[in-house]
Structure formats: C-alpha cells, structure tokens
Amino acid sequence: MKKLSMMNNQKGFTLMETILAMGLLLIIAITFLPLFINSTAGIFSVGHKQQAIGAIQKVIENNLSDHQPVINSHMNIEFSQAGISVIVPGELMTVREDYSRGNVHNPIELKAFIPEDNGEE
C-alpha cells in the first residue's frame, strides 16, 4: 500500500512548467542581450581610443625629451588677474592619430603648449 501512495504523491515540475520557465528566462535574456552587446562594443572602442591617446602622448613626450624643434604654430598665452598681465610665448604642438572602430577610422588630435625656454629659473 505504501508503494501505491508514494507513486501518486510524486513531487517535481511537469514538462509544461519546465518549458514555460525556460521560455520566460529566454525572453528575459533576449531583452538584455542588446545591452551586453553594446557595452562590449563600447569597451573595445574606448580601449582603442586610449591606445591612440597613449601613442600621441608618447610622441609629444619624445619630442620634449629630445628637445626636437616644434614645427607647429607659434602662440602666446596671456594670464591676467587684478590688472596684472603675464604673456607666455611658446609653440603649439598638434599630433593626430587614427583609431579604428570596426570599419570606421576616427581621428584623435591632441594639442600641447610648449613654453619657450628663456633661461630663467
């Protein structure tokens, strides 16, 4: 008698409940899929952009450390406060680098102001 009552009292999910639960989980996963795809693409894009910026910074630092002449434009920066004005002459160095995101090539341009060394310390 005990065997018969145990067979009628089986616990667990039916096939229909399992399929329904899997379907709901699939709908939720599909809803969030574009978010994950766009996030991953953004992460890779920012990584490529950071590599290009690092390459530009290296070029600028090498030019400064090697004391290479800057062939870019001459520029003056003026600071003024309370009627006192200070003009700093120098050169504006512009360096461009391209980074790619898929088939699209995006330019990055960094500018650095390099003050003239007038011998004052």
Side-chain angles (χ1 to χ4, degrees):
M1 214 32 133
K2 286 185 178 182
K3 286 186 177 183
L4 185 59
S5 66
M6 286 179 69
M7 290 181 106
N8 290 337
N9 193 14
Q10 291 180 351
K11 295 184 179 179
F13 295 109
T14 65
L15 179 60
M16 187 55 101
E17 290 172 333
T18 305
I19 291 173
L20 183 64
M22 289 174 52
L24 288 174
L25 288 175
L26 184 65
I27 290 171
I28 292 171
I30 289 173
T31 304
F32 286 105
L33 191 62
L35 175 70
F36 294 129
I37 291 173
N38 290 336
S39 296
T40 305
I43 289 170
F44 281 111
S45 173
V46 169
H48 293 305
K49 188 174 185 178
Q50 283 300 112
Q51 286 178 342
I53 290 172
I56 291 173
Q57 287 176 339
K58 190 173 186 177
V59 168
I60 291 172
E61 289 171 4
N62 286 340
N63 284 348
L64 290 175
S65 66
D66 295 341
H67 301 290
Q68 294 179 1
V70 180
I71 321 172
N72 295 305
S73 61
H74 186 73
M75 177 180 195
N76 291 330
I77 293 182
E78 182 175 352
F79 299 97
S80 53
Q81 183 176 3
I84 300 173
S85 181
V86 176
I87 297 175
V88 180
E91 301 287 330
L92 182 65
M93 178 189 296
T94 304
V95 181
R96 290 179 57 103
E97 182 79 22
D98 286 334
Y99 76 99
S100 57
R101 179 180 177 191
N103 294 334
V104 179
H105 294 285
N106 300 311
I108 295 179
E109 183 175 277
L110 286 182
K111 296 181 180 189
F113 178 75
I114 304 165
E116 290 179 0
D117 185 20
N118 58 6
E120 294 179 17
E121 294 282 329

